[in-house]
Amino acid sequence: MGKTLVIVGSSWGDEGKGKFVDYYAQKADIISRVAGGSNAGHTLSIDNVEYKLRLVPSGILCKDKLCVIGNGVVVDPKVLLEEMDSLSERGIDVSKIRLSNRAHVVLPYHQLLDNLSEKSRGDKKIGTTGRGISPCYIDKSDRIGIRVCDFIDKEEFAAKLKIALEQKNIILQKVYNHKPLNYEEILNEYNGYADRLRPYVCDTITLLNEELDAGKKILFEGAQATMLDIDYGTYPYVTASHPVAGGVCVGAGIAPKKIDTVIGVVKAYTTRVGEGPFPTEQLNEIGERLRTEGHEFGTVTGRPRRTGWLDACVVKYAGQISGIDYLGVTKMDIFDTFDEIKMCVAYKLDGKIINEIPASLKVFAKVEPVYETFEGWKCDTSKIRKYEDLPANAKKYLERMAEVTGTKIGIISVGPNRDQTIVVDENIF
Ligand code: GDP
Ligand code: IMO
Ligand code: MG
């Protein structure tokens, strides 16, 4: 039996999952995405060259690894091919990508409906990435979605697209007063994409399970994060999938017993894109400084990310849900110049400490973060490669994070580059 490692986001996304996925991909045989779609944006820096990935697993930047897009992913064929082409142009081999025949396909009406639905919500909008993610998952649940196996079968695609588009065109015209989309145009354009993707399609469930049985190491690359999960996040300000560790079982066809280790990625502070509650948000010069010095602008939409002090309560919650064994902490270097750093270690509601994340957003909006203050370390950590060489104040901050969340720290990042990494435990994977 091989080994599996799952990397999940512990907060509201963009924790730097891609950076650690790239690090552990070097030790893996296979890297697999299991949920979400091109709403994800993972930026990786290798030898100061930047790569931005949305659908292709971040393992693509390590040579000779199988990169699997699992059945739980919603795949925009146009985005996937653009990404593959741009990687190929940069000399990266994309021949080892495998696409699940059970994944659902994002079509032009999904993106259009995403944007029209957001517009119609006015100031109640979710702040989606506008990539058609939720409309595609809606179709999946409504049993009118189109799966990759049918997309690459010309007859099936023509028939299934007809049924789906008839329904969408009624919605477009009657609900949104929008002109209908043309069947032939979509069919022709997308048949072209299907022809190009066909060689990469296979039954990834069999592939992953056989490889695991044969002793291979599989890394499951999380996208989005716990607080964006449709069940566990700040509903309705969430995405439409399950980015928690359990999502690996349904999004890749891997049995729960076969998940060996889970790393939860935590940024040294907290950020969020889009609308919804964010108790530790700093709408002041601290927040501005975190955004500027941390380069907190979305990979997919370029939107400025909302910023605040680390919310260790949500990290602890993420730990419960995903069974996080180790924390992977990123962006410690962003605090190098700070005099003082705060961490939210508990929530108070009506003057009392609470032990849960309130389900009701009305209640969640009322929680008061309980902060502890830490002295800054005021030195450059970006060249440090060993835990013991970190300044004492940085260690204090990390130790407290581990204590509050009840999870040990496994790996730390002190800069965007692959080598700017401090491995605390060598034996994780
Ligand atoms: P993901 O979606 O979780 O993979 O995260 P993103 O890629 O959206 O955002 C994380 C950003 O932080 C990327 O631009 C990374 O290059 C960058 N990054 C990751 N780790 C570090 C770090 O330790 N220090 C600094 N300064 N940047 C980092
Ligand atoms: P990575 O993998 C941060 C957010 C959107 C919005 C909500 C719903 O890079 O961490 P959607 O388009 O999914 O329907 O939008 O979810 N969101 C993300 N925020 N990082 C992501 O991915 C995200 N994927 C979705 O901003 O608030
Ligand atoms: Mg991101």
Side-chain angles (χ1 to χ4, degrees):
M1 179 56 93
K3 229 178 162 186
T4 59
L5 171 66
V6 180
I7 294 191
V8 292
S10 68
S11 312
W12 280 282
D14 303 323
E15 296 90 349
K17 297 175 290 291
K19 154 109 195 206
F20 289 142
V21 168
D22 173 64
Y23 175 81
Y24 286 107
Q26 297 172 77
K27 300 175 173 223
D29 299 295
I30 304 174
I31 298 90
S32 176
R33 276 277 306 265
V34 302
S38 58
N39 49 348
H42 303 164
T43 302
L44 292 85
S45 281
I46 294 156
D47 299 331
N48 291 312
V49 181
E50 214 174 66
Y51 299 86
K52 290 183 188 296
L53 297 167
R54 286 161 54 187
L55 266 167
V56 174
S58 303
I60 198 78
L61 301 178
C62 296
K63 266 195 180 156
D64 297 327
K65 313 282 179 181
L66 266 186
C67 285
V68 174
I69 300 175
N71 54 277
V73 179
V74 287
V75 181
D76 185 327
K78 196 172 169 178
V79 174
L80 177 57
L81 285 163
E82 275 168 12
E83 206 169 305
M84 287 165 70
D85 288 344
S86 103
L87 286 165
S88 297
E89 275 165 26
R90 296 175 79 175
I92 291 160
D93 175 23
V94 296
S95 66
K96 290 227 155 67
I97 291 176
R98 297 290 177 272
L99 173 59
S100 168
N101 51 8
R102 286 181 172 83
H104 278 247
V105 179
V106 178
L107 288 152
Y109 46 81
H110 292 130
Q111 195 165 359
L112 184 56
L113 287 167
D114 193 352
N115 293 314
L116 290 170
S117 152
E118 280 283 272
K119 222 179 187 177
S120 74
R121 286 173 200 248
D123 62 3
K124 297 266 180 325
K125 70 176 195 295
I126 306 295
T128 73
T129 59
R131 303 291 154 174
I133 304 302
S134 159
C136 187
Y137 280 118
I138 291 173
D139 278 6
K140 178 175 177 175
S141 301
D142 198 21
R143 278 75 42 104
I144 198 174
I146 298 177
R147 294 178 303 158
V148 167
C149 58
D150 295 323
F151 175 57
I152 60 167
D153 177 324
K154 282 205 160 67
E155 253 174 53
E156 288 295 320
F157 182 47
K160 289 193 157 54
L161 178 66
K162 191 156 211 111
I163 296 168
L165 192 61
E166 268 167 19
Q167 187 214 55
K168 301 308 168 201
N169 276 338
I170 293 171
I171 298 171
L172 284 174
Q173 294 171 94
K174 302 229 159 133
V175 178
Y176 294 110
N177 202 17
H178 192 282
K179 66 175 183 349
L181 296 182
N182 183 287
Y183 171 73
E184 296 295 336
E185 273 176 26
I186 300 178
L187 187 67
N188 289 337
E189 182 183 349
Y190 280 73
N191 266 332
Y193 301 145
D195 286 341
R196 288 196 57 202
L197 286 174
R198 198 171 288 105
Y200 301 93
V201 177
C202 72
D203 186 329
T204 55
I205 300 167
T206 307
L207 171 76
L208 290 172
N209 280 290
E210 284 185 354
E211 294 285 353
L212 194 55
D213 288 345
K216 297 285 172 56
K217 289 167 89 173
I218 308 182
L219 170 59
F220 292 102
E221 165 176 0
Q224 288 80 51
T226 313
M227 297 306 281
L228 292 172
D229 184 286
I230 194 155
D231 271 64
Y232 306 108
T234 41
Y235 189 91
Y237 299 101
V238 293
T239 191
S241 66
H242 289 296
V244 296
V248 170
C249 303
V250 285
I254 293 294
K257 284 184 205 167
K258 293 186 180 169
I259 294 182
D260 296 314
T261 310
V262 182
I263 292 182
V265 185
V266 188
K267 191 152 30 184
Y269 48 93
T270 300
T271 63
R272 148 158 232 181
V273 223
E275 311 303 314
F278 179 3
T280 63
E281 183 169 21
Q282 298 297 301
L283 295 164
N284 52 29
E285 66 281 9
I286 295 282
E288 201 47 54
R289 196 168 160 200
L290 287 171
R291 181 159 38 250
T292 316
E293 295 178 21
H295 308 288
E296 295 297 348
F297 296 88
T299 311
V300 177
T301 58
R303 288 179 289 180
R305 292 175 182 151
R306 299 160 61 194
T307 49
W309 297 119
L310 176 67
D311 187 336
C313 300
V314 306
V315 179
K316 184 177 170 190
Y317 175 65
Q320 288 173 335
I321 294 165
S322 286
I324 295 174
D325 299 294
Y326 299 92
L327 295 182
V329 184
T330 60
K331 294 206 158 179
M332 282 296 280
D333 54 301
I334 302 303
F335 278 145
D336 284 356
T337 56
F338 278 58
D339 293 326
E340 199 178 83
I341 300 160
K342 291 188 185 195
M343 182 193 297
C344 164
V345 297
Y347 289 158
K348 259 190 185 170
L349 185 66
D350 302 326
K352 285 198 199 93
I353 299 279
I354 55 165
N355 204 14
E356 60 187 48
I357 305 286
S360 153
L361 293 200
K362 204 166 98 186
V363 179
F364 199 20
K366 287 197 290 190
V367 301
E368 282 170 62
V370 177
Y371 288 113
E372 282 179 11
T373 305
F374 299 78
E375 219 178 291
W377 39 93
K378 308 283 275 180
C379 67
D380 178 11
T381 56
S382 70
K383 293 181 189 69
I384 295 175
R385 300 291 176 267
K386 285 196 199 125
Y387 186 81
E388 55 269 29
D389 295 341
L390 279 171
N393 285 347
K395 283 190 217 156
K396 269 190 203 157
Y397 184 70
L398 290 164
E399 279 160 19
R400 187 64 180 136
M401 193 191 300
E403 200 172 57
V404 173
T405 59
T407 314
K408 47 192 173 292
I409 293 181
I411 187 163
I412 298 161
S413 171
V414 288
N417 259 300
R418 189 183 262 178
D419 64 315
Q420 290 178 299
T421 304
I422 300 172
V423 181
V424 183
D425 187 334
E426 292 281 354
N427 301 313
I428 293 179
F429 189 49

